[in-house]
Structure formats: C-alpha cells, structure tokens
Amino acid sequence: MEIQPETPYPTDYNECGEVARAERDNNERPAIANLPESIKEYDTILIGYPIWWHTAPMIIGSFLESYDLTDKEVYPFTQSASMDTEQFDNSIAFVRENADGATVYDGLFARPSDTETIDGYLENNGLVQ
Ligand SMILES: Cc1cc2nc3c(=O)[nH]c(=O)nc-3n(C[C@H](O)[C@H](O)[C@H](O)COP(=O)(O)O)c2cc1C
C-alpha cells in the first residue's frame, strides 16, 4: 500500500521541502488518509520511503506508531538524491525508535535501477524464494 497523507504535500519541490522540514524540526506525526485499521494479518512489513532532510519522512513514524508491532519483522528500504549513508543510518534509527516491539532488520539503501543489490537483499533476508 502507498501511505497517503491526509493533507497532500505541495507539488512544488521547494514548498514541499519547507513543509517537510518543519515536520522534521517539530518531530510531527502527520495524519495518514488511508491508514489500515489493522495489520494483524501481516508478520513482515517492508516499509519504503525517500530520504527527506537527512532522515525518514515523519509520516513513516505516524504509520509505525499506529500499531502494536510486537513480533513483527520490519525491513526498511530507501533511496535519496545524494545516497549519503549517514542519512540512511539516521533513517534506520528513526524507524527503530518508532517501531516499538518490532525487530527492525538492517535496511536496504539502493537506487531502483540497482536491481542486483535489491535482488541480493531480498535473497539474503529470505524475502524471496
Ligand atoms: C522534501 C524533500 C527533502 C529531501 N531531502 C533529501 C536529503 O536530505 N538528502 C538527499 O540525499 N535527498 C533528499 N531528497 C531527495 C529524495 O530523497 C529523492 O527525491 C527521493 O529519494 C526520490 O528520488 P527521485 O526524486 O529520483 O525519484 C529530498 C526530497 C524532498 C522532496
């Protein structure tokens, strides 16, 4: 599923950036328009997001904090413009802080075109047969 914000982000890149930066600076948890009532039928969650302002978008925290994630297995995946690994690490720390009770595995940081890395990650983590 694609997480949809209740208030859509501005389509203008700079305006979107300002909204996203304020959300991060204030550690906000923006409301989700299409939040599933329950995720209890899922054991494993692959959660993907773009790097925004050196970490994950705050709405990823909104999603994770909405559920009891006890015994869930979470695999974050992301990419960014710079592919700066420190920003990736920040985002994984953010996911871990917000995924209470879950096991958060080391994430995947790869561009969509890097199918070799993506396939390797899925295989190494037993996510494909
Ligand atoms: C609000 C916003 C903040 C962003 N912040 C960063 C950032 O801190 N570091 C970075 O490398 N890229 C940043 N980006 C770039 C996104 O990570 C990039 O757009 C995303 O991974 C999708 O890639 P694409 O635009 O090539 O589809 C930002 C993009 C937006 C819209």
Side-chain angles (χ1 to χ4, degrees), residues 13 16-17 20 50-55 79-84 87:
Y13 192 82
C16 178
I51 295 288
W52 277 8
W53 295 109
H54 299 196
T55 187
Q79 65 155 352
S80 74
S82 62
M83 296 304 286
D84 179 328
Q87 299 178 12

Side-chain angles (χ1 to χ4, degrees), residues 67-72 100-102:
Y67 303 105
D68 175 5
L69 297 175
T70 306
D71 297 332
K72 304 282 188 207
D100 207 22

Side-chain angles (χ1 to χ4, degrees), residues 33-55:
N34 60 338
L35 189 70
E37 202 168 300
S38 164
I39 55 165
K40 68 172 185 287
E41 66 268 41
Y42 300 104
D43 301 318
T44 304
I45 301 164
L46 283 74
I47 188 155
Y49 50 85
I51 295 288
W52 277 8
W53 295 109
H54 299 196
T55 187

Side-chain angles (χ1 to χ4, degrees), residues 22-115:
E23 286 180 353
R24 188 210 58 181
D25 288 351
N26 300 319
N27 198 24
E28 287 175 28
R29 294 293 179 271
I32 295 173
N34 60 338
L35 189 70
E37 202 168 300
S38 164
I39 55 165
K40 68 172 185 287
E41 66 268 41
Y42 300 104
D43 301 318
T44 304
I45 301 164
L46 283 74
I47 188 155
Y49 50 85
I51 295 288
W52 277 8
W53 295 109
H54 299 196
T55 187
M58 296 298 104
I59 203 166
I60 297 302
S62 310
F63 180 84
L64 295 168
E65 285 183 355
S66 297
Y67 303 105
D68 175 5
L69 297 175
T70 306
D71 297 332
K72 304 282 188 207
E73 302 200 314
V74 174
Y75 295 87
F77 63 98
T78 181
Q79 65 155 352
S80 74
S82 62
M83 296 304 286
D84 179 328
T85 53
E86 197 179 322
Q87 299 178 12
F88 167 62
D89 292 343
N90 291 343
S91 81
I92 299 299
F94 179 81
V95 169
R96 290 206 163 106
E97 281 162 22
N98 287 276
D100 207 22
T103 302
V104 178
Y105 290 91
D106 288 342
L108 168 67
F109 195 36
R111 294 192 189 283
S113 57
D114 187 0
T115 53

